[in-house]
Amino acid sequence: MIIKKMADIKPAEITDPQIYRERRRFIRTASGLLLAGAASATLRPRLAEAGYGGQAIEGVRPGPFAIKEKRTAYKDITSYNNFYEFGTDKRSPALMAGRLKTDRWKVTVEGAVSRSADYYLEDILKGQVLEERIYRMRCVEGWSMVIPWIGFPLRDLIKRLEPHSRAKYIEFQTLFDPAQMPGQQRNVLDWPYVEGLRMDEAMHPLTILAVGLYGEILPNQNGAPLRLVVPWKYGFKGIKSIVKIRFLEEQPQSSWMRSAPNEYGFFANVNPRVSHPRWSQRRERRIGEFRKRKTLMFNGYAEQVAHLYQGMDLKKNF
Ligand code: MTE
């Protein structure tokens, strides 16, 4: 993994507009290969409707932790979504998310961190090697998928941002813009969508920020242009279309905790032994399969992550 000096992540304010425009077309990855840039990440509604994410990302290398299970069909991954900013049913995001403008995307970094600033996504990706990570994902509602993500370890970015030692948690926020995200005109959740991780979870090598899937730039309905993927946790931790990252001393309150604290906890680790108050979590339906499978502890990633929760009561810390 090549991590360039922090000087290579420029705060957005000081990016010369001319340089920015040129850079928009292509982002040079550390390996010298070209990655179709943010300009092409601006998805046409027509393409989003067809569940099509757009241009291929080049220079992606195979990452660790790939599983051998059959991948869920691209069509299912991109047309059966949860993205309440575009409606609460599974089909709406693919139909509605085309209107989201993902070019000139900025991410604000603040809190207990040395490099707090606004950054263009291009500058965050510059010099970053992208990997394919084939992960199981398990939604709290009882279905699952196998998704070949493209992304990079969140820990790489965290290290470059230089959090203070008192930062114990990291919080993420989705864009708040009801004009682009019509679902935000209704109070189904306390907007913007907020999620968080404990710092050791955020630094775990399984945790990635994704920018693509199936070799292509992330479709809007899957959280373009930047979303979190934490494969041992229920899908709702995987916050989409991130515009803010905050380093905190105290545990943040996620949107789902605020909306139903008895149903959704902060940790949200996949755990077949702890039922959701309204349904069991013992089994799951892999999208594209008929027979249900047994849900695995930590979604099958126990070997990698169980140590993070040693000594914790996972019934209380659900
Ligand atoms: N992020 C935002 N901003 N809004 C959402 O409604 N839904 C979550 C998560 N991230 C959601 C979100 C839930 S409940 C799930 S299961 C996953 O996104 C679904 O991701 P996918 O549609 O890419 O499969």
Side-chain angles (χ1 to χ4, degrees), residues 10 19 33 45 59 73 77 93 100 142 149 165 169 187 253-254 299 305:
K10 283 197 202 126
I19 295 172
L33 292 160
I77 296 172
L100 177 66
W149 298 108
S165 59
Y169 294 89
N187 291 331
Q253 274 248 316
S254 68
N299 204 24
V305 302

Side-chain angles (χ1 to χ4, degrees), residues 77 80-85 137-141 143 145 147 149 174 189 191 193 213 221-223 227 234-241 256:
I77 296 172
Y80 189 82
N81 299 100
N82 274 330
F83 201 168
Y84 279 22
E85 286 84 342
M137 95 90 125
R138 166 66 156 81
C139 184
V140 75
E141 295 162 347
W143 47 270
M145 295 189 184
I147 303 180
W149 298 108
T174 296
L189 280 176
W191 311 110
Y193 197 99
L213 60 83
Q221 59 268 35
N222 292 92
R227 64 96 50 91
Y234 290 117
F236 67 84
K237 296 296 283 187
I239 181 170
K240 298 178 169 183
S241 305
W256 287 106

Side-chain angles (χ1 to χ4, degrees), residues 11-27:
E13 298 93 324
I14 60 169
T15 303
D16 177 302
Q18 184 58 37
I19 295 172
Y20 174 76
R21 269 193 296 277
E22 282 160 17
R23 191 188 294 143
R24 253 171 32 136
R25 307 212 52 190
F26 292 106
I27 301 164

Side-chain angles (χ1 to χ4, degrees), residues 124-137:
I124 291 174
L125 293 180
K126 219 181 140 205
Q128 182 70 58
V129 173
L130 296 178
E131 296 176 341
E132 183 175 68
R133 298 285 188 105
I134 306 166
Y135 283 165
R136 264 175 238 114
M137 95 90 125

Side-chain angles (χ1 to χ4, degrees), residues 28-80:
R28 205 170 274 281
T29 63
S31 57
L33 292 160
L34 293 174
L35 155 71
S40 44
T42 312
L43 300 178
R44 274 75 55 197
R46 193 171 48 80
L47 295 181
E49 268 168 35
Y52 181 72
Q55 283 75 6
I57 303 180
E58 288 170 42
V60 177
R61 69 175 189 196
F65 309 112
I67 53 162
K68 294 239 164 63
E69 291 158 34
K70 186 169 174 274
R71 299 166 192 206
T72 302
Y74 182 85
K75 197 173 177 305
D76 290 328
I77 296 172
T78 57
S79 65
Y80 189 82

Side-chain angles (χ1 to χ4, degrees), residues 6 9-13 102-110 115-125 152 154 157 161 170-175 209-211 223-227 240-247:
M6 184 58 212
I9 313 184
K10 283 197 202 126
E13 298 93 324
T102 57
D103 61 336
R104 297 197 64 110
W105 193 266
K106 274 195 229 173
V107 179
T108 301
V109 174
E110 58 182 44
R115 305 279 179 169
S116 55
D118 290 352
Y119 297 99
Y120 281 117
L121 178 58
E122 285 90 325
D123 291 324
I124 291 174
L125 293 180
F152 60 93
L154 172 60
L157 178 62
L161 295 172
I170 183 166
E171 184 200 85
F172 303 88
Q173 294 184 19
T174 296
L175 177 70
L209 287 171
V211 296
L226 185 71
R227 64 96 50 91
K240 298 178 169 183
S241 305
I242 295 167
V243 294
K244 193 178 274 191
I245 299 177
R246 299 170 71 209
F247 290 86

